[in-house]
């Protein structure tokens, strides 16, 4: 099934769509057999949500990391 990811700028400014997809795929592949791999599994959805939040937080704390926000700011300010 499809998975819809909703988030604020705290998510989208710090993680790219590809990075978010990577987190989701990791969670579902690791927990798939235990929960039938179903996107409807509350346990997997909860784990995926927590992993995404954690990844976004760690990305925001890394001052040397290239993020979607830093790329857009560089382009906007012609740096």
């Amino acid at each position: 099934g499809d998975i819809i990811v909703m988030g604020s700028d705290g998510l989208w400014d710090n993680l790219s769509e590809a990075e978010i997809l990577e987190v989701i795929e990791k969670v579902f592949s690791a927990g798939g057999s235990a929960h039938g791999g179903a996107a409807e599994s509350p346990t997997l959805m909860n784990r995926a949500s927590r992993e995404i939040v954690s990844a976004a937080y760690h990305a925001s704390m890394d001052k040397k990391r290239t993020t979607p926000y830093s790329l857009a700011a560089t382009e906007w300010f012609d740096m």
Side-chain angles (χ1 to χ4, degrees):
D2 294 338
I3 297 174
I4 298 172
V5 177
M6 294 186 288
S8 69
D9 57 346
L11 173 61
W12 302 112
D13 283 353
N14 292 296
L15 295 179
S16 68
E17 291 178 19
E19 290 170 314
I20 294 168
L21 179 59
E22 186 178 309
V23 171
I24 291 169
E25 287 175 338
K26 180 182 76 173
V27 169
F28 276 80
S29 66
S33 59
H35 300 285
E40 297 83 14
S41 167
T43 302
L44 287 177
M45 296 306 281
N46 190 335
R47 187 177 308 145
S49 298
R50 290 177 182 274
E51 291 291 328
I52 291 168
V53 167
S54 178
Y57 173 76
H58 289 296
S60 74
M61 300 305 288
D62 184 351
K63 302 300 180 202
K64 297 182 184 211
R65 180 180 169 89
T66 300
T67 64
Y69 178 81
S70 68
L71 291 172
T74 298
E75 184 177 320
W76 177 262
F77 293 111
D78 196 27
M79 298 168 54

